[in-house]
Amino acid sequence: MDLTRTLPSSYKDFLQNYGAIGISDFFVSGVINDNAEKASGGNIINDTNTLRENGAPDSLIVISMHEDGAYCLDYSKITPSGDIPVVNFEFGSIQHETPVAQNFSKWLKDFFLLPFTENE
């Protein structure tokens, strides 16, 4: 699959610096071992294809799978400033209509890193 989307610079920076990352059972999808298409969890193209094959809209790019769906960049909600909001997509729910973060950087900090640093 070709994502046919320009990824936000903050996410591209993440991919270049880390590829992908996992803490406990929570992962940020990306590029693992220089292969974004490898058929395994944690790879951006594989995770996005998996979600789309199950009926998710083409406007979503997966940044983190979870048991009920995925956190996704939602290209149907690009802001005037160019931010691509993050939504929590779950099948059978409308909660993805409201973004959980204004962009990838904010989501990474608040939903991925913050829970692991709150007890410090």
Side-chain angles (χ1 to χ4, degrees), residues 9-11 14 16-18 21 24-25 36-37 39 47 51 58 68-69 79-82 86 92 100 112 115-116 120:
S9 60
S10 60
Y11 187 53
F14 168 84
Q16 288 177 326
N17 288 311
Y18 303 103
I21 191 170
S24 187
D25 62 348
E37 297 185 55
D47 290 351
L51 200 71
D58 287 346
D68 297 319
T79 67
S81 65
V86 176
V100 297
F112 189 76
F116 295 102
E120 290 184 353

Side-chain angles (χ1 to χ4, degrees), residues 1-100:
M1 174 197 82
D2 177 10
L3 293 178
T4 65
R5 306 267 183 203
T6 300
L7 297 173
S9 60
S10 60
Y11 187 53
K12 286 194 272 187
D13 290 344
F14 168 84
L15 293 174
Q16 288 177 326
N17 288 311
Y18 303 103
I21 191 170
I23 298 175
S24 187
D25 62 348
F26 193 67
F27 293 87
V28 178
S29 301
V31 178
I32 299 173
N33 297 327
D34 295 324
N35 184 351
E37 297 185 55
K38 185 176 179 184
S40 67
N43 282 297
I44 183 176
I45 293 176
N46 182 69
D47 290 351
T48 299
N49 273 338
T50 298
L51 200 71
R52 288 179 180 175
E53 288 167 3
N54 288 297
D58 287 346
S59 62
L60 302 180
I61 302 290
V62 173
I63 56 172
S64 181
M65 295 287 283
H66 58 73
E67 63 186 32
D68 297 319
Y71 288 104
C72 304
L73 296 169
D74 188 349
Y75 284 80
S76 72
K77 295 178 175 31
I78 297 174
T79 67
S81 65
D83 279 335
I84 301 165
V86 176
V87 297
N88 183 15
F89 180 85
E90 292 185 5
F91 293 101
S93 171
I94 61 168
Q95 70 182 353
H96 60 278
E97 292 179 3
T98 303
V100 297

Side-chain angles (χ1 to χ4, degrees), residues 23 112-120:
I23 298 175
F112 189 76
L113 300 174
L114 191 60
F116 295 102
T117 60
E118 286 181 332
N119 296 325
E120 290 184 353

